[in-house]
Amino acid sequence: MVTTVPPTTKPSAHAARATPGGPRVRPRGERGPLASVALHTTLLLAAAVAVLPPLWLLVTSFKPRSEAFSTAIVKDFTLGNYDHVVNDTEFLSWVGNSLLVVGLTTVIGVFISATTGYAVSRFRFPGMRPLMWLLLITQMFPVAVLIVPLYNLLAGLGLLNQPMGLVLTYLTIAVPFCAWMMKGYFDTIPVEIDEAGRVDGLNPFGTFWRLIVPLAKPGLAVTGFYSFITGWAEVAYASAFMTGEENLTLAGGLQTFVNQYTSDWGSLTAAAVIVAVPAAVIFGFVQRHLVSGLTAGATKS
C-alpha cells in the first residue's frame, strides 16, 4: 500500500519571524504606523519649506508695491510689476547679455570639460595627476577671495566690462568640477569601444566624437546644465566686472531694484520670476539625465 505524504508548505516570512504566543516580529525594512506617520510628516514639512519661498515670490510679484509686505494673498491682482520691468528698465538688454554669456559658457565649458575628462580617463601622460589635483584645488577658494585677482587679470587683458571676460571667469568655475565629473563618467564606458574605433581606423578625436560622445549624453547633460546655471544665476562676478546698466546680466540687473536708497520689491520679484523660468525649462529637459549623469562615476564597470 502506497501512502502519499501531503506536501509541506514553506512558511511565509511573517510566520517564520513570529514568536509563539507573542507579538509578531516585524521583518527588517518594514515600518510601523508611527514611523510611517513621522516619515510622511517630515517629508511634507520639507516640501513646504522648499516650496514656500518661490511660491511667495510668485505671489508678491502680482501685488501692488504698497502690499509687498502684506501677508495676505493677492487682493488687487496686477501685472504692473512685469510691465515696469520689461518696458521701463534695461531688462531686455540684460536678457541679451545673459544669453550671450550663458551660451558661450555652456558650449565652451561642455567641450573643454568633456575633452579634458576623456583625456585623463583614457590616456596617461606626464603631469596628469597634478593636473587633476589642480582642478580640484581651484574649487576650494571662495568667490570673495578670487574677485580681486580675477579683476586684475581681466583689467590687464582689457576684458573688464566685456562679455568674454565674464565667460572666462565662469569657465574657471564650471570647467574644474565638470572635468572631474566627466572623467568619472568616461571611466564607466568600456575601453573596448575605443579599441574597436582604432581598429576601424579612427584617430583618438574621431573615436571620442563618433563613439564616446553619443554614449555620454547623461554626463554631457549634467555638464551643460551646471555650466548654464553657473552663468545664469551668478551674481558676484557679474556685479564686480560689469558696469553700466546696459552691460549687466540678469543676475546683476536684479540688484538695481534694491539698493541703499530704494527698495522696489514688486519689480524685484517680477524680474526674479522671469529669470527663474528659463532655468526651470532647461531643468525639465535634462532632468531624466541628471541622476544617471551625476551617479555614473560612483562605480566602475
PDB file of all heavy atoms in Angstrom, residues 165-204:
ATOM      1  N   GLY A 165      35.089  88.494 -21.011  1.00  0.00           N
ATOM      2  CA  GLY A 165      35.741  88.435 -19.715  1.00  0.00           C
ATOM      3  C   GLY A 165      34.908  87.684 -18.700  1.00  0.00           C
ATOM      4  O   GLY A 165      35.429  86.893 -17.896  1.00  0.00           O
ATOM      5  N   LEU A 166      33.596  87.899 -18.733  1.00  0.00           N
ATOM      6  CA  LEU A 166      32.702  87.184 -17.828  1.00  0.00           C
ATOM      7  C   LEU A 166      32.648  85.699 -18.185  1.00  0.00           C
ATOM      8  O   LEU A 166      32.573  84.839 -17.299  1.00  0.00           O
ATOM      9  CB  LEU A 166      31.310  87.803 -17.898  1.00  0.00           C
ATOM     10  CG  LEU A 166      30.439  87.741 -16.624  1.00  0.00           C
ATOM     11  CD1 LEU A 166      31.172  88.308 -15.427  1.00  0.00           C
ATOM     12  CD2 LEU A 166      29.131  88.474 -16.854  1.00  0.00           C
ATOM     13  N   VAL A 167      32.703  85.389 -19.484  1.00  0.00           N
ATOM     14  CA  VAL A 167      32.704  83.987 -19.909  1.00  0.00           C
ATOM     15  C   VAL A 167      33.940  83.270 -19.368  1.00  0.00           C
ATOM     16  O   VAL A 167      33.851  82.153 -18.826  1.00  0.00           O
ATOM     17  CB  VAL A 167      32.651  83.884 -21.444  1.00  0.00           C
ATOM     18  CG1 VAL A 167      32.895  82.445 -21.906  1.00  0.00           C
ATOM     19  CG2 VAL A 167      31.310  84.379 -21.958  1.00  0.00           C
ATOM     20  N   LEU A 168      35.109  83.890 -19.505  1.00  0.00           N
ATOM     21  CA  LEU A 168      36.331  83.275 -18.987  1.00  0.00           C
ATOM     22  C   LEU A 168      36.256  83.075 -17.476  1.00  0.00           C
ATOM     23  O   LEU A 168      36.718  82.057 -16.948  1.00  0.00           O
ATOM     24  CB  LEU A 168      37.537  84.153 -19.337  1.00  0.00           C
ATOM     25  CG  LEU A 168      37.889  84.253 -20.826  1.00  0.00           C
ATOM     26  CD1 LEU A 168      39.037  85.230 -21.046  1.00  0.00           C
ATOM     27  CD2 LEU A 168      38.255  82.884 -21.389  1.00  0.00           C
ATOM     28  N   THR A 169      35.662  84.031 -16.788  1.00  0.00           N
ATOM     29  CA  THR A 169      35.517  83.903 -15.334  1.00  0.00           C
ATOM     30  C   THR A 169      34.622  82.728 -14.978  1.00  0.00           C
ATOM     31  O   THR A 169      34.935  81.941 -14.072  1.00  0.00           O
ATOM     32  CB  THR A 169      34.937  85.202 -14.761  1.00  0.00           C
ATOM     33  OG1 THR A 169      35.782  86.302 -15.117  1.00  0.00           O
ATOM     34  CG2 THR A 169      34.849  85.112 -13.243  1.00  0.00           C
ATOM     35  N   TYR A 170      33.512  82.578 -15.669  1.00  0.00           N
ATOM     36  CA  TYR A 170      32.593  81.472 -15.376  1.00  0.00           C
ATOM     37  C   TYR A 170      33.195  80.123 -15.745  1.00  0.00           C
ATOM     38  O   TYR A 170      32.885  79.114 -15.113  1.00  0.00           O
ATOM     39  CB  TYR A 170      31.274  81.678 -16.118  1.00  0.00           C
ATOM     40  CG  TYR A 170      30.464  82.836 -15.604  1.00  0.00           C
ATOM     41  CD1 TYR A 170      29.533  83.488 -16.404  1.00  0.00           C
ATOM     42  CD2 TYR A 170      30.634  83.297 -14.298  1.00  0.00           C
ATOM     43  CE1 TYR A 170      28.793  84.552 -15.942  1.00  0.00           C
ATOM     44  CE2 TYR A 170      29.899  84.365 -13.821  1.00  0.00           C
ATOM     45  CZ  TYR A 170      28.978  84.994 -14.646  1.00  0.00           C
ATOM     46  OH  TYR A 170      28.247  86.053 -14.165  1.00  0.00           O
ATOM     47  N   LEU A 171      34.058  80.097 -16.751  1.00  0.00           N
ATOM     48  CA  LEU A 171      34.713  78.845 -17.105  1.00  0.00           C
ATOM     49  C   LEU A 171      35.635  78.371 -15.989  1.00  0.00           C
ATOM     50  O   LEU A 171      35.806  77.161 -15.794  1.00  0.00           O
ATOM     51  CB  LEU A 171      35.494  79.003 -18.407  1.00  0.00           C
ATOM     52  CG  LEU A 171      34.659  79.156 -19.682  1.00  0.00           C
ATOM     53  CD1 LEU A 171      35.555  79.390 -20.883  1.00  0.00           C
ATOM     54  CD2 LEU A 171      33.782  77.935 -19.918  1.00  0.00           C
ATOM     55  N   THR A 172      36.234  79.306 -15.253  1.00  0.00           N
ATOM     56  CA  THR A 172      37.079  78.905 -14.127  1.00  0.00           C
ATOM     57  C   THR A 172      36.270  78.238 -13.020  1.00  0.00           C
ATOM     58  O   THR A 172      36.827  77.506 -12.201  1.00  0.00           O
ATOM     59  CB  THR A 172      37.816  80.121 -13.544  1.00  0.00           C
ATOM     60  OG1 THR A 172      36.859  81.058 -12.998  1.00  0.00           O
ATOM     61  CG2 THR A 172      38.637  80.829 -14.604  1.00  0.00           C
ATOM     62  N   ILE A 173      34.956  78.489 -13.003  1.00  0.00           N
ATOM     63  CA  ILE A 173      34.090  77.840 -12.014  1.00  0.00           C
ATOM     64  C   ILE A 173      33.585  76.505 -12.534  1.00  0.00           C
ATOM     65  O   ILE A 173      33.612  75.489 -11.832  1.00  0.00           O
ATOM     66  CB  ILE A 173      32.896  78.754 -11.668  1.00  0.00           C
ATOM     67  CG1 ILE A 173      33.367  80.111 -11.142  1.00  0.00           C
ATOM     68  CG2 ILE A 173      31.986  78.086 -10.656  1.00  0.00           C
ATOM     69  CD1 ILE A 173      32.245  81.102 -10.920  1.00  0.00           C
ATOM     70  N   ALA A 174      33.126  76.487 -13.777  1.00  0.00           N
ATOM     71  CA  ALA A 174      32.431  75.309 -14.298  1.00  0.00           C
ATOM     72  C   ALA A 174      33.371  74.197 -14.730  1.00  0.00           C
ATOM     73  O   ALA A 174      33.107  73.014 -14.465  1.00  0.00           O
ATOM     74  CB  ALA A 174      31.536  75.728 -15.474  1.00  0.00           C
ATOM     75  N   VAL A 175      34.458  74.529 -15.389  1.00  0.00           N
ATOM     76  CA  VAL A 175      35.307  73.504 -16.003  1.00  0.00           C
ATOM     77  C   VAL A 175      35.943  72.560 -14.991  1.00  0.00           C
ATOM     78  O   VAL A 175      35.917  71.333 -15.192  1.00  0.00           O
ATOM     79  CB  VAL A 175      36.369  74.156 -16.906  1.00  0.00           C
ATOM     80  CG1 VAL A 175      37.428  73.140 -17.317  1.00  0.00           C
ATOM     81  CG2 VAL A 175      35.705  74.761 -18.138  1.00  0.00           C
ATOM     82  N   PRO A 176      36.538  73.032 -13.882  1.00  0.00           N
ATOM     83  CA  PRO A 176      37.172  72.074 -12.960  1.00  0.00           C
ATOM     84  C   PRO A 176      36.211  71.019 -12.426  1.00  0.00           C
ATOM     85  O   PRO A 176      36.523  69.822 -12.441  1.00  0.00           O
ATOM     86  CB  PRO A 176      37.695  72.981 -11.838  1.00  0.00           C
ATOM     87  CG  PRO A 176      37.919  74.298 -12.486  1.00  0.00           C
ATOM     88  CD  PRO A 176      36.807  74.425 -13.472  1.00  0.00           C
ATOM     89  N   PHE A 177      35.045  71.435 -11.958  1.00  0.00           N
ATOM     90  CA  PHE A 177      34.080  70.468 -11.432  1.00  0.00           C
ATOM     91  C   PHE A 177      33.587  69.528 -12.526  1.00  0.00           C
ATOM     92  O   PHE A 177      33.518  68.301 -12.344  1.00  0.00           O
ATOM     93  CB  PHE A 177      32.894  71.206 -10.804  1.00  0.00           C
ATOM     94  CG  PHE A 177      31.742  70.312 -10.455  1.00  0.00           C
ATOM     95  CD1 PHE A 177      31.778  69.528  -9.318  1.00  0.00           C
ATOM     96  CD2 PHE A 177      30.624  70.243 -11.281  1.00  0.00           C
ATOM     97  CE1 PHE A 177      30.716  68.691  -8.996  1.00  0.00           C
ATOM     98  CE2 PHE A 177      29.555  69.418 -10.970  1.00  0.00           C
ATOM     99  CZ  PHE A 177      29.602  68.636  -9.821  1.00  0.00           C
ATOM    100  N   CYS A 178      33.243  70.081 -13.690  1.00  0.00           N
ATOM    101  CA  CYS A 178      32.690  69.262 -14.770  1.00  0.00           C
ATOM    102  C   CYS A 178      33.733  68.308 -15.344  1.00  0.00           C
ATOM    103  O   CYS A 178      33.393  67.195 -15.763  1.00  0.00           O
ATOM    104  CB  CYS A 178      32.135  70.166 -15.867  1.00  0.00           C
ATOM    105  SG  CYS A 178      30.681  71.128 -15.361  1.00  0.00           S
ATOM    106  N   ALA A 179      35.000  68.716 -15.379  1.00  0.00           N
ATOM    107  CA  ALA A 179      36.041  67.824 -15.881  1.00  0.00           C
ATOM    108  C   ALA A 179      36.195  66.609 -14.970  1.00  0.00           C
ATOM    109  O   ALA A 179      36.338  65.472 -15.438  1.00  0.00           O
ATOM    110  CB  ALA A 179      37.368  68.572 -15.995  1.00  0.00           C
ATOM    111  N   TRP A 180      36.159  66.835 -13.661  1.00  0.00           N
ATOM    112  CA  TRP A 180      36.216  65.715 -12.715  1.00  0.00           C
ATOM    113  C   TRP A 180      35.012  64.793 -12.903  1.00  0.00           C
ATOM    114  O   TRP A 180      35.138  63.564 -12.894  1.00  0.00           O
ATOM    115  CB  TRP A 180      36.245  66.242 -11.282  1.00  0.00           C
ATOM    116  CG  TRP A 180      37.618  66.322 -10.695  1.00  0.00           C
ATOM    117  CD1 TRP A 180      38.407  67.429 -10.590  1.00  0.00           C
ATOM    118  CD2 TRP A 180      38.377  65.250 -10.128  1.00  0.00           C
ATOM    119  NE1 TRP A 180      39.602  67.116 -10.002  1.00  0.00           N
ATOM    120  CE2 TRP A 180      39.607  65.783  -9.702  1.00  0.00           C
ATOM    121  CE3 TRP A 180      38.134  63.893  -9.936  1.00  0.00           C
ATOM    122  CZ2 TRP A 180      40.597  65.003  -9.100  1.00  0.00           C
ATOM    123  CZ3 TRP A 180      39.121  63.108  -9.346  1.00  0.00           C
ATOM    124  CH2 TRP A 180      40.331  63.664  -8.926  1.00  0.00           C
ATOM    125  N   MET A 181      33.850  65.370 -13.052  1.00  0.00           N
ATOM    126  CA  MET A 181      32.647  64.566 -13.207  1.00  0.00           C
ATOM    127  C   MET A 181      32.675  63.771 -14.513  1.00  0.00           C
ATOM    128  O   MET A 181      32.328  62.576 -14.546  1.00  0.00           O
ATOM    129  CB  MET A 181      31.414  65.462 -13.172  1.00  0.00           C
ATOM    130  CG  MET A 181      30.098  64.706 -13.213  1.00  0.00           C
ATOM    131  SD  MET A 181      28.714  65.828 -13.391  1.00  0.00           S
ATOM    132  CE  MET A 181      29.067  66.531 -14.998  1.00  0.00           C
ATOM    133  N   MET A 182      33.104  64.396 -15.604  1.00  0.00           N
ATOM    134  CA  MET A 182      33.153  63.698 -16.885  1.00  0.00           C
ATOM    135  C   MET A 182      34.215  62.606 -16.878  1.00  0.00           C
ATOM    136  O   MET A 182      34.046  61.556 -17.517  1.00  0.00           O
ATOM    137  CB  MET A 182      33.440  64.690 -18.015  1.00  0.00           C
ATOM    138  CG  MET A 182      32.296  65.651 -18.312  1.00  0.00           C
ATOM    139  SD  MET A 182      30.736  64.814 -18.693  1.00  0.00           S
ATOM    140  CE  MET A 182      31.179  63.850 -20.124  1.00  0.00           C
ATOM    141  N   LYS A 183      35.311  62.814 -16.154  1.00  0.00           N
ATOM    142  CA  LYS A 183      36.330  61.775 -16.041  1.00  0.00           C
ATOM    143  C   LYS A 183      35.731  60.532 -15.395  1.00  0.00           C
ATOM    144  O   LYS A 183      35.935  59.398 -15.854  1.00  0.00           O
ATOM    145  CB  LYS A 183      37.504  62.316 -15.231  1.00  0.00           C
ATOM    146  CG  LYS A 183      38.717  61.407 -15.207  1.00  0.00           C
ATOM    147  CD  LYS A 183      38.778  60.534 -13.973  1.00  0.00           C
ATOM    148  CE  LYS A 183      40.032  59.685 -13.946  1.00  0.00           C
ATOM    149  NZ  LYS A 183      40.026  58.670 -12.870  1.00  0.00           N
ATOM    150  N   GLY A 184      34.971  60.718 -14.315  1.00  0.00           N
ATOM    151  CA  GLY A 184      34.313  59.583 -13.676  1.00  0.00           C
ATOM    152  C   GLY A 184      33.299  58.925 -14.584  1.00  0.00           C
ATOM    153  O   GLY A 184      33.144  57.698 -14.560  1.00  0.00           O
ATOM    154  N   TYR A 185      32.602  59.708 -15.403  1.00  0.00           N
ATOM    155  CA  TYR A 185      31.621  59.118 -16.314  1.00  0.00           C
ATOM    156  C   TYR A 185      32.310  58.321 -17.419  1.00  0.00           C
ATOM    157  O   TYR A 185      31.870  57.213 -17.759  1.00  0.00           O
ATOM    158  CB  TYR A 185      30.740  60.206 -16.921  1.00  0.00           C
ATOM    159  CG  TYR A 185      29.540  59.642 -17.649  1.00  0.00           C
ATOM    160  CD1 TYR A 185      28.361  59.400 -16.976  1.00  0.00           C
ATOM    161  CD2 TYR A 185      29.611  59.328 -18.996  1.00  0.00           C
ATOM    162  CE1 TYR A 185      27.253  58.870 -17.625  1.00  0.00           C
ATOM    163  CE2 TYR A 185      28.518  58.798 -19.656  1.00  0.00           C
ATOM    164  CZ  TYR A 185      27.348  58.571 -18.970  1.00  0.00           C
ATOM    165  OH  TYR A 185      26.268  58.025 -19.627  1.00  0.00           O
ATOM    166  N   PHE A 186      33.379  58.858 -17.995  1.00  0.00           N
ATOM    167  CA  PHE A 186      34.087  58.140 -19.063  1.00  0.00           C
ATOM    168  C   PHE A 186      34.720  56.854 -18.541  1.00  0.00           C
ATOM    169  O   PHE A 186      34.916  55.910 -19.308  1.00  0.00           O
ATOM    170  CB  PHE A 186      35.145  59.039 -19.695  1.00  0.00           C
ATOM    171  CG  PHE A 186      34.579  60.134 -20.549  1.00  0.00           C
ATOM    172  CD1 PHE A 186      35.028  61.438 -20.437  1.00  0.00           C
ATOM    173  CD2 PHE A 186      33.592  59.863 -21.486  1.00  0.00           C
ATOM    174  CE1 PHE A 186      34.508  62.449 -21.222  1.00  0.00           C
ATOM    175  CE2 PHE A 186      33.062  60.870 -22.288  1.00  0.00           C
ATOM    176  CZ  PHE A 186      33.520  62.162 -22.152  1.00  0.00           C
ATOM    177  N   ASP A 187      35.053  56.824 -17.258  1.00  0.00           N
ATOM    178  CA  ASP A 187      35.612  55.596 -16.681  1.00  0.00           C
ATOM    179  C   ASP A 187      34.615  54.439 -16.742  1.00  0.00           C
ATOM    180  O   ASP A 187      35.007  53.272 -16.708  1.00  0.00           O
ATOM    181  CB  ASP A 187      36.033  55.829 -15.228  1.00  0.00           C
ATOM    182  CG  ASP A 187      37.315  56.654 -15.134  1.00  0.00           C
ATOM    183  OD1 ASP A 187      38.026  56.768 -16.137  1.00  0.00           O
ATOM    184  OD2 ASP A 187      37.595  57.192 -14.033  1.00  0.00           O
ATOM    185  N   THR A 188      33.318  54.746 -16.785  1.00  0.00           N
ATOM    186  CA  THR A 188      32.304  53.688 -16.823  1.00  0.00           C
ATOM    187  C   THR A 188      32.051  53.161 -18.227  1.00  0.00           C
ATOM    188  O   THR A 188      31.363  52.155 -18.384  1.00  0.00           O
ATOM    189  CB  THR A 188      30.972  54.214 -16.250  1.00  0.00           C
ATOM    190  OG1 THR A 188      30.456  55.256 -17.101  1.00  0.00           O
ATOM    191  CG2 THR A 188      31.168  54.792 -14.844  1.00  0.00           C
ATOM    192  N   ILE A 189      32.570  53.832 -19.243  1.00  0.00           N
ATOM    193  CA  ILE A 189      32.405  53.377 -20.628  1.00  0.00           C
ATOM    194  C   ILE A 189      33.537  52.414 -20.953  1.00  0.00           C
ATOM    195  O   ILE A 189      34.709  52.746 -20.777  1.00  0.00           O
ATOM    196  CB  ILE A 189      32.405  54.567 -21.595  1.00  0.00           C
ATOM    197  CG1 ILE A 189      31.232  55.515 -21.273  1.00  0.00           C
ATOM    198  CG2 ILE A 189      32.308  54.094 -23.042  1.00  0.00           C
ATOM    199  CD1 ILE A 189      31.172  56.743 -22.143  1.00  0.00           C
ATOM    200  N   PRO A 190      33.242  51.209 -21.424  1.00  0.00           N
ATOM    201  CA  PRO A 190      34.294  50.209 -21.664  1.00  0.00           C
ATOM    202  C   PRO A 190      35.364  50.714 -22.628  1.00  0.00           C
ATOM    203  O   PRO A 190      35.074  51.348 -23.649  1.00  0.00           O
ATOM    204  CB  PRO A 190      33.531  49.021 -22.264  1.00  0.00           C
ATOM    205  CG  PRO A 190      32.122  49.202 -21.789  1.00  0.00           C
ATOM    206  CD  PRO A 190      31.898  50.674 -21.716  1.00  0.00           C
ATOM    207  N   VAL A 191      36.619  50.400 -22.298  1.00  0.00           N
ATOM    208  CA  VAL A 191      37.746  50.790 -23.147  1.00  0.00           C
ATOM    209  C   VAL A 191      37.702  50.048 -24.477  1.00  0.00           C
ATOM    210  O   VAL A 191      38.267  50.514 -25.479  1.00  0.00           O
ATOM    211  CB  VAL A 191      39.068  50.524 -22.405  1.00  0.00           C
ATOM    212  CG1 VAL A 191      40.265  50.963 -23.243  1.00  0.00           C
ATOM    213  CG2 VAL A 191      39.084  51.248 -21.068  1.00  0.00           C
ATOM    214  N   GLU A 192      37.033  48.896 -24.507  1.00  0.00           N
ATOM    215  CA  GLU A 192      36.957  48.126 -25.746  1.00  0.00           C
ATOM    216  C   GLU A 192      36.322  48.918 -26.885  1.00  0.00           C
ATOM    217  O   GLU A 192      36.610  48.662 -28.066  1.00  0.00           O
ATOM    218  CB  GLU A 192      36.165  46.833 -25.521  1.00  0.00           C
ATOM    219  CG  GLU A 192      36.893  45.798 -24.681  1.00  0.00           C
ATOM    220  CD  GLU A 192      36.868  46.132 -23.205  1.00  0.00           C
ATOM    221  OE1 GLU A 192      36.112  47.048 -22.814  1.00  0.00           O
ATOM    222  OE2 GLU A 192      37.589  45.466 -22.439  1.00  0.00           O
ATOM    223  N   ILE A 193      35.457  49.873 -26.550  1.00  0.00           N
ATOM    224  CA  ILE A 193      34.846  50.704 -27.595  1.00  0.00           C
ATOM    225  C   ILE A 193      35.911  51.552 -28.278  1.00  0.00           C
ATOM    226  O   ILE A 193      35.915  51.706 -29.513  1.00  0.00           O
ATOM    227  CB  ILE A 193      33.733  51.576 -26.989  1.00  0.00           C
ATOM    228  CG1 ILE A 193      32.600  50.689 -26.458  1.00  0.00           C
ATOM    229  CG2 ILE A 193      33.203  52.570 -28.017  1.00  0.00           C
ATOM    230  CD1 ILE A 193      31.485  51.450 -25.795  1.00  0.00           C
ATOM    231  N   ASP A 194      36.832  52.109 -27.505  1.00  0.00           N
ATOM    232  CA  ASP A 194      37.932  52.895 -28.088  1.00  0.00           C
ATOM    233  C   ASP A 194      38.815  52.000 -28.960  1.00  0.00           C
ATOM    234  O   ASP A 194      39.237  52.412 -30.050  1.00  0.00           O
ATOM    235  CB  ASP A 194      38.763  53.518 -26.973  1.00  0.00           C
ATOM    236  CG  ASP A 194      37.950  54.420 -26.073  1.00  0.00           C
ATOM    237  OD1 ASP A 194      37.062  53.911 -25.367  1.00  0.00           O
ATOM    238  OD2 ASP A 194      38.194  55.628 -26.067  1.00  0.00           O
ATOM    239  N   GLU A 195      39.093  50.807 -28.482  1.00  0.00           N
ATOM    240  CA  GLU A 195      39.936  49.894 -29.251  1.00  0.00           C
ATOM    241  C   GLU A 195      39.268  49.508 -30.566  1.00  0.00           C
ATOM    242  O   GLU A 195      39.936  49.408 -31.610  1.00  0.00           O
ATOM    243  CB  GLU A 195      40.229  48.657 -28.414  1.00  0.00           C
ATOM    244  CG  GLU A 195      41.040  48.960 -27.155  1.00  0.00           C
ATOM    245  CD  GLU A 195      41.182  47.748 -26.263  1.00  0.00           C
ATOM    246  OE1 GLU A 195      40.527  46.727 -26.546  1.00  0.00           O
ATOM    247  OE2 GLU A 195      41.950  47.817 -25.276  1.00  0.00           O
ATOM    248  N   ALA A 196      37.955  49.298 -30.536  1.00  0.00           N
ATOM    249  CA  ALA A 196      37.242  48.982 -31.772  1.00  0.00           C
ATOM    250  C   ALA A 196      37.304  50.151 -32.750  1.00  0.00           C
ATOM    251  O   ALA A 196      37.442  49.955 -33.966  1.00  0.00           O
ATOM    252  CB  ALA A 196      35.786  48.641 -31.456  1.00  0.00           C
ATOM    253  N   GLY A 197      37.218  51.393 -32.229  1.00  0.00           N
ATOM    254  CA  GLY A 197      37.326  52.555 -33.101  1.00  0.00           C
ATOM    255  C   GLY A 197      38.697  52.666 -33.742  1.00  0.00           C
ATOM    256  O   GLY A 197      38.822  53.004 -34.931  1.00  0.00           O
ATOM    257  N   ARG A 198      39.755  52.364 -32.984  1.00  0.00           N
ATOM    258  CA  ARG A 198      41.102  52.422 -33.548  1.00  0.00           C
ATOM    259  C   ARG A 198      41.306  51.328 -34.595  1.00  0.00           C
ATOM    260  O   ARG A 198      41.993  51.533 -35.604  1.00  0.00           O
ATOM    261  CB  ARG A 198      42.136  52.305 -32.437  1.00  0.00           C
ATOM    262  CG  ARG A 198      42.240  53.558 -31.578  1.00  0.00           C
ATOM    263  CD  ARG A 198      43.483  53.544 -30.716  1.00  0.00           C
ATOM    264  NE  ARG A 198      43.398  52.515 -29.682  1.00  0.00           N
ATOM    265  CZ  ARG A 198      42.896  52.720 -28.467  1.00  0.00           C
ATOM    266  NH1 ARG A 198      42.432  53.931 -28.155  1.00  0.00           N
ATOM    267  NH2 ARG A 198      42.861  51.751 -27.582  1.00  0.00           N
ATOM    268  N   VAL A 199      40.710  50.161 -34.373  1.00  0.00           N
ATOM    269  CA  VAL A 199      40.801  49.092 -35.365  1.00  0.00           C
ATOM    270  C   VAL A 199      40.138  49.524 -36.673  1.00  0.00           C
ATOM    271  O   VAL A 199      40.609  49.200 -37.773  1.00  0.00           O
ATOM    272  CB  VAL A 199      40.155  47.802 -34.823  1.00  0.00           C
ATOM    273  CG1 VAL A 199      40.010  46.760 -35.923  1.00  0.00           C
ATOM    274  CG2 VAL A 199      40.981  47.237 -33.673  1.00  0.00           C
ATOM    275  N   ASP A 200      39.060  50.299 -36.569  1.00  0.00           N
ATOM    276  CA  ASP A 200      38.355  50.770 -37.764  1.00  0.00           C
ATOM    277  C   ASP A 200      39.030  51.975 -38.400  1.00  0.00           C
ATOM    278  O   ASP A 200      38.514  52.527 -39.379  1.00  0.00           O
ATOM    279  CB  ASP A 200      36.914  51.116 -37.414  1.00  0.00           C
ATOM    280  CG  ASP A 200      36.091  49.884 -37.089  1.00  0.00           C
ATOM    281  OD1 ASP A 200      36.498  48.785 -37.504  1.00  0.00           O
ATOM    282  OD2 ASP A 200      35.050  50.023 -36.418  1.00  0.00           O
ATOM    283  N   GLY A 201      40.152  52.417 -37.842  1.00  0.00           N
ATOM    284  CA  GLY A 201      40.912  53.495 -38.460  1.00  0.00           C
ATOM    285  C   GLY A 201      40.625  54.885 -37.937  1.00  0.00           C
ATOM    286  O   GLY A 201      41.082  55.870 -38.530  1.00  0.00           O
ATOM    287  N   LEU A 202      39.897  55.001 -36.834  1.00  0.00           N
ATOM    288  CA  LEU A 202      39.613  56.321 -36.272  1.00  0.00           C
ATOM    289  C   LEU A 202      40.790  56.801 -35.442  1.00  0.00           C
ATOM    290  O   LEU A 202      41.429  56.018 -34.729  1.00  0.00           O
ATOM    291  CB  LEU A 202      38.350  56.269 -35.409  1.00  0.00           C
ATOM    292  CG  LEU A 202      37.028  55.997 -36.126  1.00  0.00           C
ATOM    293  CD1 LEU A 202      35.899  55.863 -35.119  1.00  0.00           C
ATOM    294  CD2 LEU A 202      36.718  57.101 -37.131  1.00  0.00           C
ATOM    295  N   ASN A 203      41.068  58.113 -35.517  1.00  0.00           N
ATOM    296  CA  ASN A 203      42.070  58.684 -34.623  1.00  0.00           C
ATOM    297  C   ASN A 203      41.438  58.929 -33.260  1.00  0.00           C
ATOM    298  O   ASN A 203      40.228  58.749 -33.090  1.00  0.00           O
ATOM    299  CB  ASN A 203      42.632  59.979 -35.226  1.00  0.00           C
ATOM    300  CG  ASN A 203      41.544  61.014 -35.510  1.00  0.00           C
ATOM    301  OD1 ASN A 203      40.493  61.043 -34.863  1.00  0.00           O
ATOM    302  ND2 ASN A 203      41.777  61.851 -36.509  1.00  0.00           N
ATOM    303  N   PRO A 204      42.227  59.308 -32.240  1.00  0.00           N
ATOM    304  CA  PRO A 204      41.654  59.482 -30.896  1.00  0.00           C
ATOM    305  C   PRO A 204      40.486  60.457 -30.844  1.00  0.00           C
ATOM    306  O   PRO A 204      39.477  60.192 -30.171  1.00  0.00           O
ATOM    307  CB  PRO A 204      42.851  59.979 -30.073  1.00  0.00           C
ATOM    308  CG  PRO A 204      44.034  59.391 -30.757  1.00  0.00           C
ATOM    309  CD  PRO A 204      43.698  59.407 -32.218  1.00  0.00           C
TER     310      PRO A 204
END
